[in-house]
């Protein structure tokens, strides 16, 4: 029987050096995280290791363009293998997709840190986003074949359902909530109204937070820095942990670590933390 707790967290740091200046280190020190997926690192591997400390084993895929994107996975366990390729060889996914395998308590778990493009409706940026989502959709079944215990997490930059965006009516024509984007999640998780939604529908992956939070607004993971968005909880739920069914069955706890106040935020996103029994 599974007996070892594995705490996995994901966070879009919005620049990890700035995040540490604002308090990310204090959050991490107090959360007893075993594996941490980071997006928008926007720093060198040396910077990352220096901020996190030598007790962390770090795999890092920086973006092709310096100072942009960048994904990493930091763990108390050493990665046995990691992979950064996604989709066609000519497709630049650098800084946006990083896979790693870890052996924990005799069990191998596959972890992905993903950062989907934000996109912009009607532009080449949106075309790139669709190319990335196409590659991701094609990779998910391969991941399941590779390991029945896998989790894809990060800033996926799509609100799947109306529950995931406070002001969804005002965003139906904006990147992040376009019908075409949401259809990818219909195919991955199942569509709203499908009796097997988030329980074997689509490609069978499970949205952990929605599964355990239930049919409620949010809980949101991103708020604009501008205005009163955070104070009014006018947010988007775009940061996910998507698990294979076998891993989803091992969830023992979860949290969306929303800051207590606006001035205590160290990113415009907030961590999503899930405990798994291995």
């Amino acid at each position: 029987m599974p007996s070892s707790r594995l705490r996995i967290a994901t966070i879009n740091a919005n620049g990890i050096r700035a995040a540490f200046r604002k308090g990310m280190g204090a959050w991490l020190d107090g959360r007893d995280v075993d594996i941490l997926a980071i997006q928008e690192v926007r720093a060198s591997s040396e910077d990352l290791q220096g901020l996190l400390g030598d007790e962390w084993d770090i795999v890092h895929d920086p973006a092709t363009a310096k100072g942009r994107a960048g994904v990493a996975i930091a763990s108390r366990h050493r990665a046995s293998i990691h992979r950064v390729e996604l989709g066609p060889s000519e497709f630049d996914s650098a800084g946006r997709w990083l896979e790693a395998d870890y052996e924990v308590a005799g069990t191998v778990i596959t972890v992905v840190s993903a950062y989907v493009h934000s996109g912009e409706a009607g532009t080449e940026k949106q075309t790139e986003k669709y190319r990335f989502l196409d590659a991701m959709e094609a990779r998910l079944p391969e991941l399941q074949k590779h390991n029945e215990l896998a989790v894809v997490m990060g800033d996926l930059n799509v609100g799947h359902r109306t529950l995931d965006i406070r002001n969804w009516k005002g965003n139906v024509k904006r990147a992040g909530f376009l019908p075409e984007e949401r259809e990818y999640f219909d195919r991955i998780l199942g569509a709203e109204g499908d009796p097997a939604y988030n329980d074997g529908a689509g490609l069978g992956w499970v949205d952990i937070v929605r599964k355990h939070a239930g049919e409620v607004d949010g809980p949101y993971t991103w708020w604009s820095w501008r205005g009163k968005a955070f104070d009014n909880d006018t947010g988007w739920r775009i940061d996910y942990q998507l698990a294979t069914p076998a891993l989803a069955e091992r969830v023992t706890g979860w949290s969306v670590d929303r800051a207590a106040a606006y001035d205590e935020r160290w990113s415009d996103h907030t961590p999503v933390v899930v405990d798994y029994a291995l």
Side-chain angles (χ1 to χ4, degrees):
M1 293 292 291
S3 59
S4 178
R5 188 217 71 186
L6 184 70
R7 178 164 291 171
I8 301 180
T10 181
I11 178 62
N12 178 323
N14 195 24
I16 195 164
R17 288 170 295 187
F20 262 75
R21 287 196 299 270
K22 296 175 182 177
M24 179 177 172
W27 168 82
L28 189 58
D29 288 343
R31 284 304 267 131
D32 196 22
V33 171
D34 298 297
I35 298 176
L36 176 66
I38 311 167
Q39 303 86 47
E40 281 204 88
V41 174
R42 302 209 304 256
S44 69
S45 296
E46 293 75 18
D47 287 336
L48 195 53
Q49 192 75 65
L51 290 167
L52 290 174
D54 292 338
E55 67 270 25
W56 291 90
D57 178 71
I58 299 171
V59 289
H60 177 213
D61 187 35
T64 303
K66 188 176 181 181
R68 296 180 58 195
V71 288
I73 305 172
S75 175
R76 307 291 188 179
H77 314 271
R78 184 169 294 277
S80 59
I81 188 171
H82 71 275
R83 299 164 294 275
V84 298
E85 296 82 11
L86 179 70
S89 58
E90 71 275 10
F91 176 45
D92 179 12
S93 61
R96 293 189 179 273
W97 186 268
L98 176 61
E99 304 174 14
D101 288 355
Y102 298 94
E103 183 172 338
V104 182
T107 300
V108 175
I109 182 169
T110 298
V111 175
V112 179
S113 180
Y115 176 43
V116 176
H117 304 65
S118 55
E120 184 178 339
T123 72
E124 180 60 28
K125 291 181 179 178
Q126 193 65 28
T127 302
E128 280 296 291
K129 184 174 187 176
Y130 288 139
R131 291 186 70 194
F132 188 95
L133 288 169
D134 285 337
M136 182 175 119
E137 185 179 356
R139 180 60 182 152
L140 290 177
E142 297 172 353
L143 277 175
Q144 288 168 301
K145 291 178 182 177
H146 169 72
N147 188 358
E148 67 172 5
L149 300 178
V151 57
V152 174
M153 55 186 168
D155 178 2
L156 303 187
N157 256 319
V158 178
H160 182 203
R161 298 173 56 196
T162 57
L163 292 175
D164 296 320
I165 300 180
R166 172 57 59 86
N167 181 24
W168 67 267
K169 291 181 180 179
N171 286 286
V172 292
K173 296 183 179 180
R174 289 187 58 193
F177 201 61
L178 296 171
E180 297 87 349
E181 295 173 328
R182 296 163 62 200
E183 286 171 2
Y184 283 92
F185 282 71
D186 287 347
R187 294 191 291 271
I188 294 167
L189 302 168
E192 185 174 5
D194 186 329
Y197 158 71
N198 214 21
D199 191 27
L203 296 179
W205 290 73
V206 179
D207 176 351
I208 296 300
V209 171
R210 177 59 63 214
K211 182 78 170 178
H212 291 272
E215 297 293 291
V216 300
D217 291 337
Y220 306 121
T221 64
W222 176 86
W223 304 262
S224 171
W225 287 113
R226 298 190 297 271
K228 295 288 186 177
F230 183 80
D231 294 337
N232 296 333
D233 203 24
T234 304
W236 295 49
R237 192 176 76 93
I238 53 177
D239 301 85
Y240 296 81
Q241 291 205 28
L242 304 181
T244 53
L247 185 60
E249 290 177 359
R250 297 175 180 238
V251 172
T252 60
W254 67 277
S255 174
V256 173
D257 285 7
R258 187 183 193 275
Y262 178 93
D263 60 3
E264 295 181 27
R265 303 170 72 194
W266 40 267
S267 172
D268 51 353
H269 294 254
T270 199
V272 178
V273 184
V274 179
D275 291 343
Y276 299 92
L278 297 184

